Amino acid sequence: MPLLRIERGEGKGSTFVIEESGTIGRDPQVEVPIADEKASRRHCRILCGDGGYVLEDLDSKNGTSLNGSKIAGKVAVEPGDHFRIGLTWFSFGADLLRKRLDGILADYRIESSIEHGSVGEFYQVQQIPLRRSVALKLLPPSLVRGHPEVRERFLSSLKTLATLNHASIPTILDFGSDESLLYFTMEWIEEAMTLSEYQEPGEPLEVRNALGIALSCARALHYAHERGVLHQDVKPENVQVTPWRVMLAHFGLARMLGETVEETGAEAMTGTVEYMSPEQLGGGEAEARSDLYSLGVLLYEMLAGIPPFRGETPYETIELALNVPPKPLSAMRPDLPPQIGLLVARCLEKDPDSRYPTAQALVRDLTKARNHYEILELQSEGDRVLVTLKNEFYVLLGWPLFRWVLFPLLAILVLLLLRLLFFR
């Protein structure tokens, strides 16, 4: 019996066993109840027939999408397929897909499942001929079955990704395919934790640590952007942290999947809404500065313990990200040097033209911020107060009103006071 798993949205990680049939909707009495506000009470159902399983939309108000396309009536589903109701994404039959892989991957033995998601399955596998562990990424089978042109685009994209040679980007080792499967392998990072595992929920990281992780990611983005490669899915699950190394993984996968999706709008996006830029949430094209926005969200969360935008539902999160300015980091962490707050605020500008123009510019400011913070840590408490006052003064000088109006007036007042004191 296949498993149905919520991969994204409210209830993420929940699994349900589908026997003869299973109805999905907001009605708490159905076999698979969900809380998505765009779901109907009895939205769709999965049925077992003579030829396998089918997905049927039950005349829902907002429709059901299978592998990126709206369905009508009954449509066959196979292990590895993904379907979506509102902002809730499901995977179907991942357990059956793994059994199928055992018969296809002759040179690999699956050791453990690392991640299930809307952009495919992620496994730790043993490469038998070389006796080494590698990471295997399996793209959704629907990519090939529903879009035959994807195979060539996949191979072309992998050739580009395989040229990336950077300390903070995992190296692609191999790739393969059969009639409906596409996969590639990359180096397995021993002792690695994703950033979502590394950071305790709701707890900020130590400042120097957070800046170091962000700096490694920014350097990886700069290297990739210089070679025309966007990430488009910068989030904690794609950042791997080890005691000696930080890696930004899965470059280009969201874009590769997104090109096969016929729908438009934020609901059909393959990224994670908390970390997507306003232009992506608005249905526009992603660009290099979109990656910088996502990295800004990541750094904000590392320093504050929570992301800048998180509503009660994914829809509220999108509304906040599009229309509400983030709460200043200084209000969350008064101990932070002001230039760190300004750096993050610039990354989170809603207008891409107001953000850092390039990842290289962000690398430069992150390096300065980290070096300055390390100096602060070495100073005595009294010196730290003086340096903080100096930093505040430099921040004020950056404001045109203070620089050209208030500061000259202050200087004139000081001169008048000196004249009254010494030239009576």
Side-chain angles (χ1 to χ4, degrees):
M1 293 178 289
L3 291 178
L4 187 66
R5 178 184 172 94
I6 298 179
E7 301 295 355
R8 194 193 313 166
E10 295 183 67
K12 177 181 177 181
S14 301
T15 57
F16 307 86
V17 177
I18 304 299
E19 297 181 357
E20 294 299 319
S21 68
T23 301
I24 306 167
R26 294 182 67 186
D27 188 337
Q29 302 303 316
V30 300
E31 290 82 2
V32 184
I34 60 175
D36 196 295
E37 64 186 59
K38 292 199 174 182
S40 300
R41 289 185 61 81
R42 297 175 65 85
H43 193 100
C44 64
R45 62 179 175 175
I46 294 179
L47 302 167
C48 180
D50 295 336
Y53 285 86
V54 296
L55 176 67
E56 179 184 17
D57 184 78
L58 300 177
D59 296 323
S60 64
K61 180 179 179 180
N62 295 302
T64 304
S65 298
L66 175 64
N67 302 326
S69 301
K70 287 285 181 72
I71 67 170
K74 296 179 180 179
V75 180
V77 289
E78 296 186 20
D81 278 347
H82 291 77
F83 64 95
R84 179 183 62 77
I85 299 172
L87 285 172
T88 304
W89 290 61
F90 295 86
S91 65
F92 173 77
D95 53 325
L96 301 180
L97 179 63
R98 175 167 175 172
K99 293 178 181 177
R100 180 183 170 193
L101 285 176
D102 289 334
I104 294 174
L105 303 176
D107 290 338
Y108 298 96
R109 182 178 63 250
I110 297 178
E111 297 187 334
S112 62
S113 178
I114 306 300
E115 178 188 2
H116 304 281
S118 56
V119 292
E121 313 297 320
F122 192 36
Y123 303 98
Q124 180 188 2
V125 301
Q126 182 77 14
Q127 190 174 12
I128 299 171
L130 297 179
R131 299 181 181 178
R132 65 176 179 180
S133 290
V134 298
L136 184 143
K137 187 72 177 185
L138 175 71
L139 273 65
S142 58
L143 280 179
V144 182
R145 190 176 67 252
H147 307 85
E149 75 283 358
V150 165
R151 188 183 304 275
E152 289 304 317
R153 190 161 64 234
F154 169 77
L155 296 178
S156 176
S157 297
L158 271 187
K159 288 176 183 177
T160 301
L161 295 175
T163 65
L164 301 182
N165 183 18
H166 189 272
S168 292
I169 301 177
T171 302
I172 290 180
L173 303 173
D174 193 11
F175 66 89
S177 65
D178 78 340
E179 292 182 357
S180 63
L181 293 180
L182 294 172
Y183 66 89
F184 64 90
T185 62
M186 53 189 177
E187 61 177 312
W188 175 256
I189 312 299
E190 293 291 343
E191 300 183 40
M193 304 171 66
T194 65
L195 182 55
S196 56
E197 297 168 333
Y198 182 77
Q199 182 176 7
E200 293 291 333
E203 294 294 329
L205 293 181
E206 193 275 327
V207 176
R208 186 196 298 192
N209 199 6
L211 292 175
I213 292 172
L215 184 56
S216 293
C217 293
R219 286 171 174 161
L221 289 174
H222 168 53
Y223 177 87
H225 289 175
E226 287 283 294
R227 288 152 182 82
V229 177
L230 302 182
H231 193 289
Q232 292 192 289
D233 197 19
V234 177
K235 60 182 180 180
E237 290 79 5
N238 286 337
V239 177
Q240 298 178 329
V241 182
T242 74
W244 58 88
R245 191 178 178 191
V246 175
M247 309 282 280
L248 182 57
H250 300 164
F251 272 86
L253 288 186
R255 181 176 186 178
M256 196 182 303
L257 179 60
E259 288 175 342
T260 69
V261 175
E262 297 174 4
E263 301 174 284
T264 59
E267 293 174 358
M269 294 295 175
T270 54
T272 305
V273 293
E274 286 91 345
Y275 305 95
M276 292 173 68
S277 65
E279 58 270 22
Q280 290 172 285
L281 292 173
E285 287 290 328
E287 53 163 290
R289 292 173 296 184
S290 305
D291 282 344
L292 304 187
Y293 177 94
S294 300
L295 182 55
V297 176
L298 215 64
L299 181 53
Y300 187 107
E301 184 174 9
M302 285 191 284
L303 293 170
I306 57 173
F309 306 109
R310 176 171 286 172
E312 292 295 323
T313 68
Y315 301 98
E316 289 185 13
T317 299
I318 292 173
E319 183 68 21
L320 292 171
L322 288 175
N323 300 307
V324 179
K327 188 175 183 179
L329 259 180
S330 57
M332 308 288 288
R333 291 284 301 271
D335 60 313
L336 286 178
Q339 63 266 42
I340 296 178
L342 292 173
L343 180 155
V344 175
R346 188 174 180 185
C347 290
L348 295 179
E349 289 284 354
K350 300 192 187 300
D351 181 3
D353 290 337
S354 299
R355 298 177 203 149
Y356 283 96
T358 64
Q360 184 179 29
L362 177 57
V363 167
R364 183 174 60 247
D365 276 10
L366 276 170
T367 303
K368 290 179 181 178
R370 186 187 64 173
N371 292 343
H372 181 74
Y373 187 80
E374 290 176 349
I375 292 173
L376 281 179
E377 286 189 308
L378 295 174
Q379 293 174 325
S380 66
E381 188 65 33
D383 289 339
R384 190 176 303 174
V385 171
L386 292 176
V387 172
T388 301
L389 291 174
K390 182 182 72 173
N391 290 339
E392 294 286 357
F393 179 71
Y394 284 143
V395 171
L396 289 174
L397 281 180
W399 295 356
L401 177 65
F402 183 83
R403 186 192 308 164
W404 302 113
V405 179
L406 298 180
F407 184 66
L409 287 176
L410 183 62
I412 291 172
L413 288 175
V414 170
L415 290 175
L416 289 175
L417 181 61
L418 290 174
R419 181 174 180 180
L420 289 174
L421 290 174
F422 298 105
F423 301 99
R424 294 182 177 179

